[in-house]
Amino acid sequence: MFGEILISALLVIGGIFGLIGSYGLVKLPDQMTRLHAPTKAATLGVGGVLLASVAWFGFFGEHPSWHELLIALFLFMTAPITGLMIAKAHMHLSWRADELPDCGEDRNWATYGDSAERSLLDIGSGDEGTERDLRE
């Protein structure tokens, strides 16, 4: 009885977080706020469902399964990184450097620094300079 209640609670909690994440993805006003919905709430929703699966195999399966924990670990590691990359791309494409908060003396946002003007991909396109010059 305890196992069934725990699994049901985890599924309901996961479903609520998934619903909130999906609703936020559709209804939040701009890209930077919409970014929080799938990286936060929907990730917790999938995590709740995965924990319910672990609990089911622990209580009712022949042997516990750790596959779900590995999936959850991968999800919790990659979702924030994906959100960061989407946010940096949005910053670079939509904002000017003077619109961002000040980073301090002699510092730039990584998206807007000197290295953002030059890329290792530009080496083969006829630009002057070597790979060493671009790393400096």
Side-chain angles (χ1 to χ4, degrees), residues 81-126:
I81 295 169
T82 303
L84 174 71
M85 293 299 126
I86 292 171
K88 284 181 140 295
H90 177 70
M91 283 173 54
H92 184 68
L93 295 173
S94 302
W95 294 350
R96 293 186 319 266
D98 59 342
E99 294 176 326
L100 297 171
D102 185 33
C103 294
E105 190 174 324
D106 295 333
R107 293 182 185 226
N108 287 320
W109 286 78
T111 307
Y112 295 97
D114 292 334
S115 63
E117 299 299 323
R118 299 174 293 172
S119 170
L120 290 175
L121 297 175
D122 294 333
I123 291 174
S125 65

Side-chain angles (χ1 to χ4, degrees), residues 21 24 31 55 59 61-62 73 82-84 97 103 116 120 123 127 131 136:
Q31 183 176 2
F59 285 114
E62 293 179 16
L73 177 67
T82 303
L84 174 71
C103 294
L120 290 175
I123 291 174
D127 287 348
E131 185 175 342
E136 293 177 349

Side-chain angles (χ1 to χ4, degrees), residues 53-71:
S53 179
V54 168
W56 187 88
F57 278 108
F59 285 114
F60 304 112
E62 293 179 16
H63 55 81
S65 172
W66 299 104
H67 295 105
E68 290 86 358
L69 289 178
L70 293 173
I71 294 169

Side-chain angles (χ1 to χ4, degrees), residues 23-38:
Y23 183 76
L25 185 61
V26 172
K27 288 295 186 180
L28 289 172
D30 63 354
Q31 183 176 2
M32 293 300 274
T33 55
R34 278 194 303 265
L35 187 60
H36 291 288

